[in-house]
């Protein structure tokens, strides 16, 4: 938005809301793939240490690279004509499309790099019996 010289408006807020929806969907599907990869490894008896956990997470994330790339390519290809348009209503539509195009360049990086890393840290802490683990007793602090 800054690079295009657009101010925040209702139209750009709609673009950010749409971007949030797509990013959330991609993140949830990434978590589904990670859970499936870990479940498959656990069922095969190949999830005994942190090294095998990392391998399962990498395997699950790698399965998701192509679908994420295809999703990003289709969204950007669909929005670029809107950004280049000059017909009636194009001024508003550019402000809706610009957050989506910019966000679709960065959201996949979040989904492919940050989500698996955070998932690994969470799984490790749950294994180690961290305070927020499901089986831990409730704390006395209120």
């Amino acid at each position: 938005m800054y690079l295009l010289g657009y101010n925040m408006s209702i139209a750009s807020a709609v673009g950010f809301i749409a971007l949030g929806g797509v990013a959330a969907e991609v993140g949830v599907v990434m978590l589904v793939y990670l859970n499936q990869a870990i479940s498959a490894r656990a069922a095969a008896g190949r999830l005994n240490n942190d090294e095998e956990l990392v391998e399962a997470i990498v395997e699950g994330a790698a399965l998701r690279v192509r679908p994420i790339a295809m999703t990003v390519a289709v969204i950007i290809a669909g929005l670029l004509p809107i950004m280049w348009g000059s017909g009636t209503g194009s001024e508003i539509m550019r402000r809706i499309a610009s957050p989506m195009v910019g966000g679709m360049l960065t959201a996949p990086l979040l989904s492919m790099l940050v989500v698996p890393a955070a998932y690994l840290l969470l799984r490790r802490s749950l294994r180690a019996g961290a305070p927020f683990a499901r089986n831990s007793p409730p704390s006395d602090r209120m």
Side-chain angles (χ1 to χ4, degrees):
M1 301 260 311
Y2 176 77
L3 294 175
L4 295 173
Y6 296 152
N7 294 326
M8 189 65 180
S9 65
I10 298 296
S12 59
V14 168
F16 280 113
I17 291 169
L19 172 64
V22 172
E25 177 220 352
V26 169
V28 166
V29 174
M30 174 63 85
L31 289 175
V32 168
Y33 273 71
L34 294 176
N35 280 332
Q36 287 177 348
I38 288 175
S39 296
R41 286 229 174 194
R46 297 182 304 153
L47 194 62
N48 301 320
N49 56 28
D50 279 347
E51 196 172 293
E52 291 176 348
L53 176 64
V54 170
E55 289 174 6
I57 289 174
V58 168
E59 178 185 315
L63 289 173
R64 193 70 192 125
V65 170
R66 187 183 316 149
I68 287 176
M70 289 171 40
T71 301
V72 168
V74 167
I75 289 173
I76 289 176
L79 290 175
L80 283 180
I82 294 171
M83 299 243 341
W84 291 330
S86 61
T88 304
S90 64
E91 190 69 24
I92 298 297
M93 293 305 292
R94 281 190 207 137
R95 284 168 170 67
I96 293 173
S98 64
M100 289 284 296
V101 171
M104 290 315 309
L105 298 175
T106 57
L109 295 175
L110 172 79
S111 176
M112 289 188 287
L113 299 174
V114 176
V115 170
Y119 189 87
L120 173 65
L121 293 174
L122 184 64
R123 287 292 291 223
R124 278 184 181 167
S125 65
L126 289 176
R127 262 189 176 179
F132 57 89
R134 288 186 197 139
N135 297 333
S136 64
S139 70
D140 293 332
R141 292 180 286 174
M142 287 267 174

